[in-house]
Amino acid sequence: MHVLLIGAYGFIGSDVARGLTARGHRVSGVGRDLAYGRRILPAINWHYADLVTMTDPVRWQPLLAGVDAIVNASGLLQDEAGHAVQRVQADAIVALIAAAEATGVTRFVQISAANAEASATSIFLRSKAEADRTLANSSLAHVILRPGLVIGRNAYGGTELIRMAAAMPLVTPLPSATGSIQCIGIDDLVVAVVRAVEGDVATGSHDLVEARRRTLGNIVALHRAWLGFDPARRTIRMGGMVMALIVGGADLLSRLGWRSPLRHNAVAALAAGISGDTDEAAVLLGRPVRPLESVLAVLPAGKQDRVAARLALLMPVMLASLFLLWMGTAIATSLRLDEAAGLLRMGGLDDRLARLLGGGGATVDGLLALLMLHRRTVRFALLGTVAVTVVYLLGATIVRPDLWFDPLAPLLKVIPAAMLSLTAYVLLARR
C-alpha cells in the first residue's frame, strides 16, 4: 500500500515508518525539515508541509494522489514559538480528513492519546479529541489508537523527563501529586499501526496500555535500574509552589523555542495520570501489551543512554554558564572600557584603536550571548563563540604574548570555554 505518514521523523513516526517499510509498504513522509527526514529515513519519499498552514483541505489534496492510507503520527505537546497545538493537532487534521474523503483515500489511522477527551484540561488532549471525533464521524474506514505513555529507544516529552529524573545523582525528584500511569512499548504501538493499515483491526477507537497501573516513582525507579544507576537514597517530593516555578520557567523558555520536558503539559499529564482499557489492547494485538519491565528488557541501555540522560541534566547549566561568561564579559568591558583599552595600549596600540577593539569586542560578546537565548540561533551563537575565541587568542598572541605566561592564565582559561561551546553545539543537534 501507499501510506502517507504525517510526522514521519518524530519520536513515534520514525519507528512507524520503519515498521511499514519492513512490511513492504511504500511510505511518503510529511514534515517541515526534508533534509533532516532524508538523512534519518532515506528509504521513504518526502513531502514538505507545515501543519500550522495546512488548515484548508485544498492544500492537502496534492499530497494524497495515489495514497491508499493515511497515518497521523504528528503531535505538538504545547504551544511554542511559531506553532500552535490547536492548529497542528486539530485544525490541520480535520482538513486532512476532509481532503481524504474528497480524494478517495480508503483508510485513516490516527495515533491519538489515552485520556484524550473534549473535557480534558490540557489543550494537547482536547485537540487530539477534536480530531478523533471528526474522524469517527467521517465516511473513512478509520482506526483511532490511544496509547499510554510510549516507551522507546529515544525519549521525548514525558519520557525524557523520566530519564532526567532517573539520572539524578543520589536522589529522585518527583512532583508531590501524580496519578497512575500505564505504559506501552513503541514496538507494540508500531505493530498496532501496521495491523490497522493492513485492515486487520476493527474500525473504531482502541486504547493501547499495559495491564499494570504504575506510580511515577515506580517508572522512574525502573528506568534508573535500566540505565545502570544506583538506587536513589531518597525521594524528594516537590510541592505545588516549587513545581509552579519550574514549570513557569520552562513555559517561558518555550516562547524562545526551547522544548523543555518540564513544560506545563508534560508535567500535568504525568500528574493527572495516563490510563486506558487494557482489554482493548489485548483484542487489537491478539495478546496483552508487554509490561514496562519487558519493554526495557528488550532495549538494553548502553553507555550512550547513561551519558545522554546525565547530559540532559547538565545542558541547561552548560548554556547558562556560557551565557553568563559572554554577557558578563560584554558588560564588564563596557563598564571598564578604559582599563580594557589600557591592556591593548600596553601592547603598542594607540588609544583610539584600543578603544575601538575593546568596544567592538564587548558588542560582539553581548550579541553572541543574546543569540544563545533562542533555540533557533543558539547553535550559530556557540560556533560564533568558538570563532571569536580563536580571533581573541590570535590577536592576544600578536599584541600581548606575555598574557600566555600570566599567573591567572587569562588566555588558557578561554580554551576550555570554547570546548564547552563545541560540546553544547553537538548536544543540541536534532533528536
Side-chain angles (χ1 to χ4, degrees):
M1 298 177 67
H2 181 194
V3 181
L4 185 71
L5 177 57
I6 317 301
Y9 53 63
F11 168 51
I12 293 174
S14 56
D15 277 60
V16 169
R18 295 183 185 100
L20 289 169
T21 54
R23 290 282 295 177
H25 300 294
R26 182 161 62 97
V27 178
S28 292
V30 174
R32 290 182 296 121
D33 191 339
L34 300 189
Y36 175 71
R38 291 182 181 120
R39 286 198 303 271
I40 66 168
L41 292 169
I44 72 174
N45 300 317
W46 284 97
H47 300 293
Y48 174 84
D50 185 346
L51 296 189
V52 173
T53 67
M54 300 293 285
T55 55
D56 185 340
V58 173
R59 302 203 64 176
W60 283 109
Q61 289 180 2
L63 301 182
L64 298 179
V67 169
D68 301 304
I70 298 171
V71 176
N72 177 32
S74 66
L76 182 63
L77 188 64
Q78 189 160 320
D79 287 343
E80 56 190 57
H83 304 285
V85 175
Q86 176 65 29
R87 292 176 70 86
V88 169
Q89 292 195 162
D91 300 346
I93 306 308
V94 168
L96 175 58
I97 293 167
E101 289 181 297
T103 53
V105 174
T106 58
R107 187 169 296 273
F108 196 118
V109 180
Q110 160 86 343
I111 302 177
S112 183
N115 305 124
E117 306 290 347
S119 59
T121 57
S122 164
I123 182 61
F124 171 79
L125 294 175
R126 290 198 306 272
S127 58
K128 281 286 188 184
E130 182 178 341
D132 296 350
R133 184 171 60 253
T134 301
L135 181 58
N137 293 329
S138 73
S139 61
L140 299 172
H142 65 272
V143 176
I144 300 169
L145 303 175
R146 293 159 47 96
L149 182 64
V150 181
I151 306 295
R153 164 59 64 195
N154 293 317
Y156 185 66
T159 50
E160 186 177 9
L161 184 58
I162 286 168
R163 291 194 191 182
M164 290 173 66
M168 284 288 291
L170 303 178
V171 301
T172 294
L174 294 174
S176 57
T178 57
S180 62
I181 298 171
Q182 291 168 283
C183 303
I184 180 174
I186 199 164
D187 288 347
D188 280 346
L189 177 55
V190 171
V191 169
V193 172
V194 172
R195 293 194 65 189
V197 167
E198 295 176 350
D200 295 333
V201 175
T203 295
S205 179
H206 307 268
D207 288 346
L208 285 172
V209 294
E210 63 172 331
R212 180 173 174 180
R213 293 175 179 264
R214 303 175 184 275
T215 65
L216 180 58
N218 172 256
I219 295 173
V220 172
L222 287 173
H223 276 78
R224 196 176 186 105
W226 173 71
L227 288 166
F229 297 138
D230 292 331
R233 296 183 183 179
R234 183 181 176 186
T235 297
I236 299 177
R237 296 285 178 179
M238 295 182 291
M241 182 63 72
V242 174
M243 286 305 302
L245 291 173
I246 294 173
V247 170
D251 286 348
L252 183 62
L253 288 173
S254 72
R255 297 179 178 273
L256 296 175
W258 295 97
R259 297 183 177 185
S260 169
L262 289 168
R263 287 176 296 167
H264 176 266
N265 279 350
V267 174
L270 294 177
I274 305 170
S275 59
D277 187 334
T278 303
D279 294 337
E280 292 182 11
V283 171
L284 189 150
L285 295 174
R287 57 172 173 77
V289 168
R290 288 178 300 154
L292 178 58
E293 292 86 349
S294 297
V295 172
L296 295 176
V298 299
L299 294 172
K303 177 182 178 181
Q304 69 277 6
D305 299 294
R306 289 185 283 275
V307 171
R310 286 273 164 87
L311 286 176
L313 288 172
L314 289 175
M315 176 57 73
V317 179
M318 293 168 62
L319 291 177
S321 63
L322 287 168
F323 173 81
L324 289 175
L325 171 65
W326 288 87
M327 183 56 75
T329 301
I331 294 173
T333 302
S334 299
L335 294 178
R336 305 177 67 176
L337 186 57
D338 286 341
E339 295 179 45
L343 293 174
L344 298 177
R345 287 195 299 269
M346 292 174 62
L349 299 183
D350 63 60
D351 182 68
R352 182 177 180 182
L353 180 58
R355 286 179 172 275
L356 178 63
L357 291 176
T363 301
V364 171
D365 292 352
L367 178 61
L368 289 173
L370 291 175
L371 289 174
M372 287 184 198
L373 295 177
H374 202 288
R375 182 63 180 87
R376 289 186 178 180
T377 55
V378 63
R379 297 187 85 215
F380 171 82
L382 291 170
L383 288 182
T385 62
V386 175
V388 169
T389 298
V390 172
V391 172
Y392 284 169
L393 291 177
L394 290 175
T397 301
I398 296 171
V399 178
R400 292 293 307 272
D402 58 297
L403 291 178
W404 283 106
F405 305 101
D406 189 289
L408 296 180
L411 299 186
L412 290 173
K413 288 177 179 176
V414 301
I415 297 176
M419 294 303 101
L420 184 62
S421 289
L422 286 177
T423 302
Y425 175 84
V426 171
L427 294 175
L428 285 169
R430 296 197 59 165
R431 66 182 183 273

